[in-house]
Amino acid sequence: MSTPAPERPHRGGRPRNAAIDGQVLSAAVDLVIDKGMAGFSIERLAAHTGIAKTTIYRRWRSGDEVLQDALASLHLVYQEFEEGPLEPILVERVWQLYRSMIDTRAGRLIAELIPDVHRRPELFEVYWTQVVRPGRAPMVDRLRRAVAEGELRSGTDPDFLVEMLIGPILSGALFLPGAMTEEQAAFHVRTVLAGLRPNPKE
């Protein structure tokens, strides 16, 4: 799903053309998905779109700025958490995350960017605020409620539990896309939760 790219300061001259902005950002996503980070540059972007380099540079100072806006314009779509038993809700969410990572342009773009994200702090900030945080927050809130209501053992850290749940899912999507099954995702969630159920004797 696409959202408008953030507005960057206009540098004078003609007013910004939103259609050109969208064309450049969409092409940037395509280039990174097809060629990887090593194959991305303003020169290739200009050649791919037929838009002059000078036009692109009037809007963005560098390829990294283009990628920041391209990432901000895409996000993984998460459904709201519904009421009900914790385990099936989490199974549905981690499976949704896995499918989003391998089936959507946003997921495929992220897979190409992740190896470079820590060397590009501005890009990491966009990745965290636009992609990671929106997916984490509802899950953390649901797990926090599960602890408070006794579904999970007292003292369980919801933030760390999210990492336990989604870490293998993201690894599977990045390194073996398409190899994981929904049954395997369900087994993973059940295994993690099994050690965190309240002890009846407590």
Side-chain angles (χ1 to χ4, degrees), residues 17-95:
N17 184 325
I20 290 178
D21 288 5
Q23 186 179 351
V24 170
L25 296 180
S26 181
V29 173
D30 290 340
L31 270 179
V32 173
I33 289 173
D34 293 342
K35 306 295 184 182
M37 288 293 291
F40 176 82
S41 67
I42 294 293
E43 288 73 17
R44 289 189 176 183
L45 191 56
H48 186 75
T49 59
I51 297 171
K53 286 192 299 181
T54 53
T55 300
I56 297 173
Y57 277 118
R58 278 200 297 269
R59 290 160 166 78
W60 297 276
R61 289 172 295 188
S62 67
D64 274 8
E65 278 198 357
V66 176
L67 291 176
Q68 288 171 39
D69 283 359
L71 185 56
S73 72
L74 296 170
H75 64 276
L76 301 179
V77 180
Y78 300 98
Q79 298 174 355
E80 293 297 323
F81 271 81
E82 299 178 356
E83 294 299 323
L86 180 63
E87 185 178 304
I89 291 174
L90 291 178
V91 169
E92 180 181 8
R93 177 51 54 94
V94 299
W95 182 243

Side-chain angles (χ1 to χ4, degrees), residues 95-178:
W95 182 243
Q96 179 190 18
L97 172 62
Y98 179 79
R99 297 307 313 179
S100 293
M101 286 293 294
I102 65 176
D103 288 344
T104 67
R105 292 174 79 230
R108 295 194 295 272
L109 173 64
I110 291 163
E112 295 294 339
L113 294 177
I114 282 177
D116 282 315
V117 83
H118 287 290
R119 292 193 293 271
R120 300 165 184 251
E122 296 84 3
L123 199 58
F124 177 77
E125 179 63 21
V126 175
Y127 170 67
W128 181 262
T129 58
Q130 300 291 329
V131 179
V132 177
R133 188 176 293 161
R136 280 178 54 95
M139 188 179 292
V140 170
D141 289 344
R142 179 63 180 88
L143 292 172
R144 184 175 290 113
R145 192 164 78 248
V147 174
E149 295 175 355
E151 291 181 274
L152 296 175
R153 187 177 301 167
S154 176
T156 299
D157 182 342
D159 285 285
F160 186 66
L161 180 51
V162 168
E163 300 304 323
M164 293 174 66
L165 288 167
I166 69 174
I169 301 301
L170 291 176
S171 294
L174 291 172
F175 299 112
L176 292 170

Side-chain angles (χ1 to χ4, degrees), residues 190-201:
R190 286 196 302 270
T191 301
V192 171
L193 294 182
L196 296 172
R197 300 291 188 189
N199 188 333
K201 296 180 180 180

